[in-house]
Amino acid sequence: KSRALSLSGRIGSLELPHRILMGSMHMGLEGQKDKLEQLCDFYQERARGQAALIITGGAAVTPAGGADNMYVLSRDEDVEALAALPRAVHEVGGKIGLQLFHSGRYAVSEEIGEQPVAPSAIASRITRETPRAMTLEDIEETVLAFASGAEKAKRVGYDAIEIMGSEGYLLNQFLSPVTNHREDAYGGSFEGRMRISIEVVRAIRDRVGPDYPVIFRMSGFDCMPNSTTPEETILFAQALEEAGVDALNIGIGWHESRVPTVQQVVPRGGFAAVAGAIRQHVSIPVIGANRLNVPEVADELIADGYLDFIAPARPWLADAEFAKKILAGDRAGLNVCIACNQSCLDHTLVRPHLPVSCLVNPRAGQETLWPMVKSHASRKVAVVGAGPAGLQAAVTAAQRGHDVVLYERESELGGQFRMAGRIPGKDEFYETIRYYTEMLERLSVVVKMQTEPTIEELSSFHHVIIAQGVVPRIPEIPGRDLPHVVNYAQILNGEVQVGNQIAIIGAGGIGCDVATLLAEGRHAKPAVESFFRGQQLPEPPSIPREVTVLARSNRYGNGIGRSTRWVVKQEMQRLGVRVVMEFQCREITPEAVVGETPEGAVVIPADQVILCAGQESASHFAEQLAERVQVHVVGGARESKGINAARAIREAFEAAYQI
Ligand code: SF4
């Protein structure tokens, strides 16, 4: 059991039963009348899952500080809608705080209908827009807007507020010399740069009184060159305490920084030392978040004095009962967030935005649409294939009360996730296989390993879900049958010996992953972990292996989500992987891959050629079965083009749910 996490705690006047909060995240449901019920249900389910305190996604204090799907606290109808959230959470005994937000230069003019504002007119790398420098009048209005937003939050029933001052948003922009070039009272010296934050806290405190819990989310480390120093960060934390803040929630990195902060390569609890350093210099509670997805790490960090509370966000998408399971000691039943970002962060980074959900929990954010109740009639269901889609289908069907038999041809469960887990920094995928395996057992699903069912056998079920996934596509290139030509599955499954001079045909997600694996060898973990401990990044390992990736177009890493693609590319560059763009492959010879680029003919010497040229559906049975039973083909087995785990799992969930 998690002892430290189970201890009661306090944020200002707010008594909390334990140390597990739910951090703020934008759900893509905000600001839309027809999505309010969904948002209420989402939070209510997390309150039932025993979050000690839920922090909402940000609500903008002014229209200029918002986005197109965000509540704005200066609009009466939005405040009225926001009142529904504490009602829903209180109904089940939970507590909820509202995050007050201003995006500053991260706002997009197309969404807010005006030029974004910021301390100085410095373009943002994310939006590529140059904001307007705020006047003194703008600043005064913004401070008042924060205060008025806090007052409204208190009035409509929120138990606390959190001021967003990290991740490179407005207040963080004022604090940093990177984005604040002002020469007036709100810039220049460190005191000037932190002035607006302190004024915001004081103005809020004046409005809400001495006892109302106020949390400030401050940046512990901007991960931006020439930004706020560690010494200034400590002084800022102390100034916030002095100004009347009840707790500090420590954010890490700006959205435009080039240090991974939330991706799988970040070790669990990787940034806790930053929060721990701040905690030594203040007497109010310190809250931490990044990559705190499992109790064993979080418990130790609290016990060792790095943190007082944890407020992870994504782990609550992956499992609505995150705290309940941890408090009950049910680690095995925890559906762990694997930091893939595929259905959460990546959905907020596309335009138009997609609603946020979760790869390993497709119900997240859609609880209203898919209530977890038993089906009206129990049926016999067969699931063919135990990759991520098949596992999800089997678990969902069993949860709905059906009798489920799961067939897998291989000797292990997990399919593509098992392969993905072998990529450096991707071993979290094994957590998902572990979770599904546990659920199969708890739900009494019959698992038949190394078994290919016959048509006759499958005909005895009411429903058959075909989730056989994909197999590597073998492109029609002369020389593809040569003995040194292999496919990615053979490499990832360890079926063949790896060569020394490697050419990878295909530069999508799998091609890049295989390149990283082979270039990095066994040195991946120490390199990444030493980086996050603030040590010098080791030189790339000197394994005698050359890796060249051959990209058909002028881009590589297509198919990897926006939040992660740059991390993968950065890592490939560090490891010296060569990428040849716009390469049209003509032939594979025993010594080389021969092709053309716009510059002319190219010969890439290779003693091993790895085909990472897409996938093909591996669906059998469907046609023969269709006349005998109800057949549902899902994921890559249905359509291999553009397949990813998020789509495969979602389709599997929906098909199984609807039985
Ligand atoms: Fe975590 Fe991936 Fe789910 Fe996002 S989509 S919550 S990163 S498991």
Side-chain angles (χ1 to χ4, degrees), residues 52-69:
L53 173 69
I54 292 169
I55 307 291
T56 64
V61 293
T62 65
D68 57 0
N69 57 356

Side-chain angles (χ1 to χ4, degrees), residues 125-126 128 222-224 252-266 271 341 345-346 349 512 516 531-532 555-574:
R125 179 169 163 172
I126 294 185
R128 299 185 201 284
D222 292 343
C223 304
M224 294 286 290
I252 302 287
W254 288 16
H255 289 309
E256 67 197 276
S257 68
R258 277 300 176 251
V259 176
T261 56
V262 293
Q263 293 79 0
Q264 274 195 12
V265 292
V266 180
F271 286 108
N341 294 335
L345 201 52
D346 286 338
L349 295 177
C512 291
T516 312
F531 174 73
F532 285 101
R555 298 185 64 195
Y556 66 103
N558 295 351
I560 307 175
R562 193 173 160 195
S563 66
T564 307
R565 193 186 309 135
W566 64 269
V567 180
V568 173
K569 286 180 160 185
Q570 203 165 272
E571 189 60 2
M572 286 168 69
Q573 280 157 17
R574 185 180 79 83

Side-chain angles (χ1 to χ4, degrees), residues 314-315 317-318 336-344 357-360:
R314 296 174 299 171
L317 288 173
V336 172
C337 162
I338 58 173
C340 66
N341 294 335
Q342 286 183 30
S343 300
C344 54
S357 187
C358 176
L359 179 110
V360 301

Side-chain angles (χ1 to χ4, degrees), residues 40 178 180 195 215 245 268 429 442 485 498 549 594 619:
C40 286
V178 173
N180 185 344
R195 187 179 309 275
I215 302 168
V245 161
R268 292 169 171 178
F429 280 102
R442 289 189 190 184
V485 182
V498 178
V549 173
V594 181
S619 159

Side-chain angles (χ1 to χ4, degrees), residues 516-531:
T516 312
L517 174 72
L518 301 184
E520 183 104 31
R522 289 173 293 128
H523 299 264
K525 266 288 204 247
V528 170
E529 290 194 352
S530 61
F531 174 73

Side-chain angles (χ1 to χ4, degrees), residues 207-274:
R207 292 281 188 98
V208 299
D211 297 330
Y212 189 66
V214 175
I215 302 168
F216 194 99
R217 183 165 169 96
M218 64 171 280
S219 177
F221 177 36
D222 292 343
C223 304
M224 294 286 290
N226 309 315
S227 198
T228 312
T229 65
E231 295 75 26
E232 287 174 338
T233 301
I234 303 284
L235 290 174
F236 183 51
Q238 291 172 327
L240 290 171
E241 177 176 8
E242 167 96 26
V245 161
D246 293 307
L248 298 170
N249 188 2
I250 310 301
I252 302 287
W254 288 16
H255 289 309
E256 67 197 276
S257 68
R258 277 300 176 251
V259 176
T261 56
V262 293
Q263 293 79 0
Q264 274 195 12
V265 292
V266 180
R268 292 169 171 178
F271 286 108
V274 175

